[in-house]
Amino acid sequence: MKKMKIWLMAILIVPALFSCEDDNDVVDTTAPVITLEDPVSGESIAAGSTMEVHGDLEDDVDLATYSITIHDNFDGHAHGRTLEKFNFSESYETEGTDVHMHQEIEIPATATAGPYHFIVQAIDAAGNATSFQDDSNVEIEIWITSEDAPHIHFTDDSDIEIEELEGVVGEALAIYGEVESESGKLDHVQVVVGHMEEESDHEGHDHGRVLEDEIFEEEYEVEGETSVMLQDLLANESIVVSQSDLDELEEGEHLYLIVRATDEDGNISRNAIEIHFD
């Protein structure tokens, strides 16, 4: 009888022990959450300046590290030499469940101008990492600018600079302007007419993200030239915007003329102007 009582007590105690272990040994399977404040998508940072990075990291248990990576997003077909593509990769240790991220990154004065990918990743103490597969990494495009990069100007037919291009539905756009390189020679110029979605940062600055649908896109080889006129590049083109093109615009989207120019050193500049229709 005594042995029976001991056996029954063991049956009752063992599940209770496993229950306590289950309550105390909760497995952490959730990756951190990243909120980036600065820089914002499309932001321009001058070569030779300091870029401020601000954001927040959150985890349900404990953070461990985060990393910042910057690398170029160039098209790779400039025919000349490339000065110095800027690359940055650094990891930072941290801890806690809610951390404010603040770093200052020096952009070399010699950095080649153009678009760069800016990426933030994070890992918690249990080894859970953010990823590209579920979009928990933060990846945006920023632009490094330089006075040595090509300059793009939009003008009217009287050579007066404009801030908005006037268009008429169903008629060819009248496009004027100049692309010039003050420190070297141009390589190629790309002209796009397409949708652009506006993104505003917390300070109210607008930054555009070009969408996939383009009404017009063409690239022109201008190797060796120091200056080209947009009206000359487009002399044989007829860029017409229809009402159906405008009807496809969704809320927050605008139609833009976007010019991207590359010089012989690989510096890339981009300028965009909204096309307004009465």
Side-chain angles (χ1 to χ4, degrees):
M1 189 69 177
K2 187 174 181 180
K3 289 183 179 180
M4 178 66 71
K5 289 181 179 179
I6 294 173
W7 182 76
L8 289 173
M9 290 177 63
I11 293 176
L12 295 172
I13 291 171
V14 170
L17 290 174
F18 278 110
S19 177
C20 292
E21 287 180 3
D22 290 341
D23 291 341
N24 295 329
D25 297 336
V26 177
V27 178
D28 179 10
T29 60
T30 304
V33 175
I34 305 169
T35 303
L36 181 65
E37 299 173 2
D38 286 314
V40 297
S41 180
E43 183 170 347
S44 296
I45 300 105
S49 67
T50 301
M51 177 171 61
E52 295 276 348
V53 179
H54 288 276
D56 293 305
L57 305 172
E58 297 179 65
D59 190 72
D60 56 340
V61 180
D62 192 20
L63 293 159
T65 64
Y66 68 93
S67 65
I68 298 174
T69 303
I70 305 172
H71 61 79
D72 73 270
N73 186 29
F74 296 177
D75 54 24
H77 67 271
H79 297 161
R81 63 188 179 88
T82 299
L83 294 177
E84 181 184 318
K85 292 180 181 178
F86 174 59
N87 288 284
F88 179 88
S89 182
E90 193 69 52
S91 293
Y92 308 91
E93 293 185 359
T94 188
E95 60 182 10
T97 59
D98 190 351
V99 173
H100 181 72
M101 174 177 57
H102 176 213
Q103 299 295 336
E104 295 183 347
I105 299 175
E106 300 294 329
I107 309 297
T110 55
T112 303
Y116 286 77
H117 283 152
F118 181 95
I119 302 166
V120 182
Q121 300 169 280
I123 303 174
D124 68 15
N128 300 302
T130 56
S131 71
F132 292 105
Q133 284 74 22
D134 60 7
D135 293 326
S136 54
N137 285 339
V138 170
E139 180 177 7
I140 63 172
E141 184 179 78
I142 61 174
W143 281 74
I144 292 180
T145 61
S146 170
E147 286 299 315
D148 293 332
H151 297 266
I152 302 167
H153 309 279
F154 298 113
T155 67
D156 60 15
D157 56 359
S158 299
D159 201 30
I160 298 174
E161 291 212 26
I162 57 174
E163 296 181 354
E164 189 176 78
L165 179 63
E166 297 293 334
V168 178
V169 176
E171 296 184 12
L173 293 172
I175 297 174
Y176 298 89
E178 182 181 15
V179 180
E180 60 178 340
S181 177
E182 297 180 353
S183 59
K185 295 182 179 180
L186 298 169
D187 189 89
H188 59 273
V189 175
Q190 182 188 47
V191 180
V192 176
V193 173
H195 301 173
M196 182 179 279
E197 184 178 60
E198 291 294 339
E199 297 180 353
S200 297
D201 61 23
H202 59 281
E203 294 180 347
H205 300 135
D206 290 330
H207 306 276
R209 180 177 66 84
V210 181
L211 303 181
E212 292 183 358
D213 296 331
E214 285 110 10
I215 295 170
F216 175 85
E217 180 179 8
E218 193 63 60
E219 188 169 276
Y220 303 92
E221 297 293 336
V222 294
E223 187 176 359
E225 299 290 339
T226 58
S227 174
V228 293
M229 307 303 292
L230 291 177
Q231 56 267 35
D232 293 337
L233 291 180
L234 300 170
N236 297 321
E237 311 286 359
S238 181
I239 306 174
V240 178
V241 178
S242 66
Q243 186 58 51
S244 62
D245 291 325
L246 296 179
D247 292 340
E248 291 181 8
L249 293 172
E250 298 180 359
E251 184 178 355
E253 293 180 4
H254 303 277
L255 203 61
Y256 275 77
L257 168 64
I258 306 152
V259 176
R260 177 169 163 154
T262 305
D263 68 16
E264 64 179 359
D265 289 324
N267 291 301
I268 303 173
S269 294
R270 186 183 71 170
N271 198 3
I273 186 171
E274 184 177 351
I275 306 172
H276 178 261
F277 296 89
D278 290 327

